[in-house]
């Protein structure tokens, strides 16, 4: 059997699985329970915060044949089809590569037809802000007079690029960056299920590097397990990701403050020769400077604002 990446393996399958988006999950639960699911939604937020996963869960919930309260059962024919990507009535469109008016005209033609197997057709348009002006205008006609058997979910990382005429016809949900602690806790759960030993400082480091994106955090874990085996320490994590050692960061900053150009360049050269990622080093330096600035004004919990990458 082909290897399945951890992000897909542990993708949220019900509203209760969503991490860091409790308000959105509860609102959608209420809509499902009360039969007040809108014909169009606009999901906004940075990458990896659960927009398309939530759209799939919503598709399951409104099409489930044996729904348990507000959650899809996950085992009926419709849930299984949607979960495996085999449902012909769940149409996912990548607007980055299907952004023209011809694709939207084709959508408008197909949207008239009743679902083949599901109760409701669901169109998920990812990176919706990439659609052309003409495509948006064509989509607008469908959103103005939507068929009763269709639900649209537009997902975007740049909501300001969505025309107001389109946005005003959608219920908008803003997906927040996921808290560092919540990411670390979820990563701990994943590594436990994968039977991999990862120390707490490594998980905290990965959670900070994810910068609010659960998908990025899980992808980093997947990468480290592939490279580092079944036991990971924070030192090994730094090495595998090409991150600067915290002590090296302190030395480098000290040399810069002292104005010692030779030692600064020497430290940089050692980092480079060891195979370190220079971009990660720059991010770590900026994070350390930012953390120091916060501490200098009495702020004691800088990690909650992003923290340093080391």
């Amino acid at each position: 059997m082909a290897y399945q990446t951890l992000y897909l393996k542990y993708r949220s399958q019900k509203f209760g699985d969503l991490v860091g988006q409790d308000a959105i999950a509860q609102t959608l639960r209420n809509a499902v329970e009360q039969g007040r699911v809108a014909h169009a939604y606009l999901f906004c937020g940075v990458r990896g915060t659960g927009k398309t996963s939530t759209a799939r869960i919503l598709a399951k919930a409104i099409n489930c044949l044996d729904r348990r309260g507000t959650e899809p059962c996950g085992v009926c024919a419709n849930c299984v089809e949607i979960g495996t990507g085999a449902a012909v009535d769940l149409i996912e469109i990548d607007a980055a590569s299907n952004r023209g008016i011809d694709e939207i005209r084709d959508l408008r033609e197909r949207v008239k037809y009743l679902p083949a197997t599901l109760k409701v057709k669901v169109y998920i348009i990812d990176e919706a802000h990439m659609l052309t002006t003409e495509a948006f205008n064509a989509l607008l006609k469908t959103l103005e007079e939507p068929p009763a058997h269709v639900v649209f979910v537009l997902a975007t990382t740049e909501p300001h690029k969505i025309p107001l005429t389109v946005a005003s016809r959608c219920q908008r949900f803003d997906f927040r960056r996921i808290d560092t602690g919540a990411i670390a806790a979820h990563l701990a759960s994943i590594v436990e299920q994968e039977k991999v030993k990862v120390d707490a400082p490594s998980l905290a480091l990965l959670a900070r590097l994810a910068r609010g994106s659960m998908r990025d955090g899980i992808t980093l874990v997947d990468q480290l397990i592939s490279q580092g085996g079944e036991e990971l320490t924070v030192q090994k994590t730094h090495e595998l990701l090409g991150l600067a050692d915290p002590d090296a960061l302190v030395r480098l900053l000290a040399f810069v403050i002292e104005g010692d150009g030779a030692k600064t360049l020497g430290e940089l050269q050692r980092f480079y020769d060891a195979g370190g990622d220079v971009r990660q080093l720059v991010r770590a330096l900026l994070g350390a400077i930012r953390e120091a600035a916060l501490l200098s004004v009495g702020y004691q919990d800088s990690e909650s604002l992003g923290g340093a990458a080391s």
Side-chain angles (χ1 to χ4, degrees):
M1 182 178 176
Y3 174 71
Q4 187 178 35
T5 61
L6 293 185
Y7 174 68
L8 293 176
K9 185 176 180 180
Y10 292 99
R11 191 172 199 170
S12 301
Q13 299 298 322
K14 57 185 181 180
F15 292 121
D17 293 339
L18 294 171
V19 178
Q21 312 298 346
D22 296 344
I24 292 173
Q26 187 57 52
T27 302
L28 292 175
R29 279 196 191 102
N30 294 342
V32 170
E33 184 178 31
Q34 298 167 14
R36 297 176 64 87
V37 175
H39 70 275
Y41 291 93
L42 178 60
F43 289 173
C44 313
V46 298
R47 69 181 189 278
T49 50
K51 299 185 296 297
T52 53
S53 292
T54 302
R56 282 170 163 262
I57 294 167
L58 179 63
K60 281 184 183 179
I62 59 181
N63 283 293
C64 183
L65 300 174
D66 186 26
R67 193 170 66 233
R68 297 164 185 176
T70 58
E71 296 282 17
C73 70
V75 294
C76 70
N78 286 357
C79 283
V80 171
E81 277 193 8
I82 293 171
T84 58
V88 295
D89 296 317
L90 175 66
I91 301 97
E92 295 194 43
I93 300 170
D94 177 17
S97 53
N98 299 279
R99 62 194 300 264
I101 191 170
D102 291 337
E103 287 83 2
I104 300 302
R105 280 176 177 162
D106 182 58
L107 180 154
R108 286 182 58 192
E109 287 300 313
R110 293 174 181 272
V111 84
K112 301 173 186 175
Y113 301 110
L114 291 170
T117 57
L118 301 181
K119 293 184 282 186
V120 179
K121 267 187 180 179
V122 180
Y123 283 86
I124 302 173
I125 304 178
D126 199 16
E127 298 300 335
H129 62 275
M130 296 290 287
L131 292 175
T132 63
T133 301
E134 294 77 10
F136 271 125
N137 289 337
L139 179 62
L140 183 60
K141 295 297 292 182
T142 301
L143 293 179
E144 285 175 340
E145 301 172 5
H149 58 267
V150 174
V151 169
F152 285 94
V153 179
L154 280 63
T156 179
T157 54
E158 300 187 50
H160 59 281
K161 292 185 179 179
I162 303 292
L164 291 176
T165 50
V166 171
S168 66
R169 286 165 173 80
C170 304
Q171 283 193 17
R172 174 169 170 166
F173 290 90
D174 289 283
F175 286 68
R176 55 176 292 177
R177 290 181 185 273
I178 303 171
D179 179 73
T180 301
I183 294 178
H186 192 62
L187 296 183
S189 171
I190 289 174
V191 298
E192 182 179 356
Q193 293 177 69
E194 290 294 307
K195 296 180 172 56
V196 177
K197 292 182 180 179
V198 183
D199 62 14
S202 291
L203 293 174
L205 171 61
L206 294 175
R208 292 199 299 275
L209 289 173
R211 291 180 174 81
S213 169
M214 183 64 77
R215 183 174 66 226
D216 286 2
I218 296 174
T219 299
L220 284 170
V221 168
D222 206 355
Q223 176 186 336
L224 287 174
I225 293 174
S226 299
Q227 294 176 323
E230 297 182 354
E231 187 166 355
L232 292 166
T233 62
V234 70
Q235 183 179 356
K236 196 169 185 180
T237 300
H238 274 93
E239 292 172 0
L240 292 173
L241 294 179
L243 302 176
D245 180 79
D247 291 337
L249 274 181
V250 172
R251 286 197 304 272
L252 186 57
L253 285 173
F255 294 150
V256 171
I257 292 170
E258 292 167 5
D260 194 327
K263 288 183 178 179
T264 299
L265 290 173
E267 193 67 40
L268 287 171
Q269 188 64 48
R270 279 190 289 277
F271 177 78
Y272 182 78
D273 290 342
D277 186 332
V278 176
R279 288 173 300 180
Q280 293 282 13
L281 175 64
V282 172
R283 292 193 190 104
L285 285 170
L286 290 173
I289 293 168
R290 180 176 181 275
E291 197 169 292
L294 290 170
L295 290 171
S296 71
V297 295
Y299 189 78
Q300 297 297 316
D301 187 19
S302 59
E303 278 190 13
S304 66
L305 292 179
S310 60

